[in-house]
Amino acid sequence: MGLFGPLKPLTQANEDGKALAKTLSWPHLMALGIGGIIGTGIYTLTGVGAGLAGPGVILSFALCGIVCACAALAYTEMSTLIPTAGSAYTYTYSAMGEILAWIVGWALILEYSLACSTVAVGWSAHLVGWLEQGIGLHLPAVLLNGPAAGGIVNLPAVFVSLAVMGLLLIGARESATLNIVLVIIKIVALGAFVVLGLPAIQAGHYDPFMPFGFLAHETNGEKSGVMAAAAVVFFAFFGFDAVSTSAEEAKNPGRDLTIGIIGSMALSTIIYMLVAAVAVGALPFKEIADSGEPLPHVLRSLGYPLVASLVGGAAIVALPSVILVMMYGQSRIFFVMARDGLLPSIVAKVNSKGSPALITLITGIFVAFFAGFVPLKKIAELSNAGTLIAFVAVSLSMIILRVKKPELQRVFKTPVFWLTGGLAIFGCIFIFSSLPKESQIFTLIWMAIGLVFYFAYGRWNSRLRKAK
């Protein structure tokens, strides 16, 4: 029994009918990570970040990449040490105890669910714009917006959420295989942007490099600066952690998870910095900041309207892969929490394909509801808050187990673990402090609601507590 409740054993037998099928290899996992990382963030947040930091948004991406790389190393060690589903929730449960594990699991709900809904709404906007500009088809406004925006429901967002849910119900391997195709489409589109935009870079567009300074500070009620931009574009990086939620389904966890997590993180960071450098170098950053679709806007301004349409079309085709990865991760978090007794056990049942069908269905409906009816303003900051909490928990868990259980055999060891883990923890706290105050307050309220649920249900139905 730890200070924060019982500790889950590092290896634990699963109940009959509550084990996930081992169907994924490292190409599936690396594509899963890239599919989650490269998506809405790079297609839309490049402009938002440029508006907050100017050309310094390149530095914002780099700083987020460094923090996430440190966290990724901790994730890799923990996922290979504890190759079961649940990601940060499971690692925290084994290292620090049940109460903190519940808090992390609750934070992951904030991360994954809101991110899924946000991407679904973003996909809807791209689709509507492409239909209107491409073929002149105008859909009824009441079916493109939620009640708060004067409509009835954002029907395309609901549709794509439910479609991804249906794909996940088919099975993890089939979903991951399709995701590889979508990832290739996204990388080709971003590659075309870099190749065409590179010759148009003007050195003057990088001066001044940090017009709003480095630290986040409020200007006219909104935070700006490189760190303020980092707090927003951080949304573009999480996704690799969803790979660790698939640990139980990896054929060879030691090899597959290492390649999947580190490989997807490294490749995505390089792509992000290239795209950001080309975008703010080809056009003045204020022009990019004013556009809802910054990459196609740059291409159109450079005289490539056809390629701009193709890049926009690639976003429509490929963004569902981000929803797939996030919804996949969310369903696995719910699955493990239910298997541990902290949520009703019925949702931990798996179907004949080894997929948690009921919880996938519930997750899909939940995401579709928010995407269709709820206006999710400043959703990137709110999603980031949940992710930052999870990253801190994983890094701290890695350090604690290194100190308490150094004798454990580790397939992968985080280099200079105390420094790497410490940088991840400090970096995440620094980024969290750069979030808007309302986002920080909302996160604390969300955590308080989660604790109420835990003490009302989870604590009394915990399998570990009953086994004591």
Side-chain angles (χ1 to χ4, degrees):
M1 180 75 72
L3 177 63
F4 297 100
L7 300 172
K8 179 187 282 192
L10 295 180
T11 58
Q12 183 176 11
N14 297 322
E15 298 177 9
D16 292 338
K18 294 184 180 179
L20 298 171
K22 293 183 178 295
T23 59
L24 305 179
S25 57
W26 70 262
H28 294 111
L29 297 180
M30 190 165 176
L32 199 65
I34 296 173
I37 299 169
I38 298 178
T40 302
I42 194 61
Y43 277 106
T44 61
L45 294 183
T46 301
V48 177
L52 296 175
V57 70
I58 302 171
L59 186 56
S60 301
F61 276 116
L63 290 171
C64 288
I66 292 171
V67 172
C68 288
C70 291
L73 291 170
Y75 262 94
T76 304
E77 176 170 329
M78 293 302 296
S79 64
T80 52
L81 180 65
I82 310 175
T84 57
S87 186
Y89 159 79
T90 297
Y91 312 149
T92 306
Y93 210 156
S94 295
M96 293 186 282
E98 186 174 276
I99 296 176
L100 291 182
W102 171 268
I103 291 175
V104 171
W106 195 249
L108 290 174
I109 295 173
L110 183 69
E111 170 191 345
Y112 287 130
S113 296
L114 297 184
C116 281
S117 300
T118 304
V119 178
V121 173
W123 179 87
S124 174
H126 277 84
L127 175 67
V128 171
W130 186 81
L131 290 175
E132 291 180 349
Q133 296 181 21
I135 61 178
L137 177 61
H138 296 270
L139 300 176
V142 293
L143 298 179
L144 302 176
N145 298 288
I152 297 175
V153 61
N154 189 329
L155 199 57
V158 172
F159 168 77
V160 73
S161 300
L162 297 179
V164 171
M165 176 198 73
L167 183 60
L168 283 171
L169 288 173
I170 295 173
R173 180 180 177 85
E174 292 81 358
S175 302
T177 301
L178 174 62
N179 184 59
I180 292 176
V181 177
L182 298 179
V183 165
I184 292 173
I185 292 174
K186 285 192 288 190
I187 291 179
V188 170
L190 293 175
F193 173 81
V194 170
V195 169
L196 294 176
L198 204 58
I201 290 178
Q202 297 181 34
H205 291 159
Y206 294 122
D207 186 25
F209 187 69
M210 294 188 291
F212 307 113
F214 180 78
L215 295 178
H217 56 90
E218 287 200 11
T219 304
N220 298 324
E222 182 180 34
K223 285 190 175 182
S224 59
V226 169
M227 285 308 303
V232 175
V233 301
F234 189 81
F235 179 93
F237 278 90
F238 63 80
F240 76 84
D241 56 322
V243 177
S244 67
T245 69
S246 67
E248 194 171 319
E249 295 162 275
K251 293 179 179 179
N252 185 342
R255 179 199 66 189
D256 298 341
L257 288 169
T258 302
I259 297 174
I261 294 176
I262 296 179
S264 61
M265 187 67 243
L267 183 59
S268 298
T269 301
I270 293 172
I271 292 173
Y272 275 8
M273 293 186 67
L274 277 173
V275 171
V278 170
V280 297
L283 288 182
F285 75 88
K286 291 183 179 179
E287 287 189 35
I288 301 171
D290 293 335
S291 174
E293 43 169 3
L295 305 191
H297 174 73
V298 171
L299 290 172
R300 281 194 294 268
S301 299
L302 297 179
Y304 300 108
L306 177 58
V307 181
S309 297
L310 292 175
V311 170
I316 295 171
V317 173
L319 283 183
S321 69
V322 182
I323 305 173
L324 184 149
V325 173
M326 296 301 174
M327 195 179 293
Y328 172 92
Q330 175 67 91
S331 65
R332 268 50 181 181
I333 296 296
F334 272 133
F335 167 80
V336 179
M337 294 174 76
R339 191 169 65 184
D340 291 337
L342 304 186
L343 292 173
S345 61
I346 189 174
V347 300
K349 293 291 184 182
V350 297
N351 60 18
S352 59
K353 288 183 172 288
S355 296
L358 180 57
I359 197 60
T360 299
L361 184 65
I362 294 173
T363 301
I365 294 173
F366 181 81
V367 169
F369 173 80
F370 277 90
F373 297 100
V374 181
L376 299 176
K377 293 182 179 179
K378 297 189 176 180
I379 191 64
E381 292 94 339
L382 295 178
S383 297
N384 287 351
T387 310
L388 291 165
I389 291 171
F391 283 9
V392 168
V394 172
S395 301
L396 189 57
S397 296
M398 182 271 293
I399 294 174
I400 289 173
L401 288 181
R402 276 291 194 98
V403 174
K404 291 175 63 177
K405 296 184 180 293
E407 75 284 357
L408 292 175
Q409 284 193 333
R410 290 169 169 83
V411 176
F412 174 86
K413 286 188 175 182
T414 302
V416 197
F417 74 92
W418 55 270
L419 177 61
T420 303
L423 284 174
I425 293 169
F426 173 77
C428 288
I429 292 174
F430 192 27
I431 292 174
F432 185 87
S433 70
S434 301
L435 289 170
K437 280 192 169 52
E438 57 266 29
S439 297
Q440 297 171 351
I441 294 172
F442 177 87
T443 303
L444 294 177
I445 294 173
W446 176 257
M447 293 298 107
I449 293 172
L451 286 174
V452 170
F453 277 128
Y454 170 75
F455 285 107
Y457 179 87
R459 189 179 190 281
W460 310 103
N461 293 278
S462 165
R463 285 179 59 199
L464 275 184
R465 287 185 182 275
K466 288 182 178 180
K468 296 297 182 182

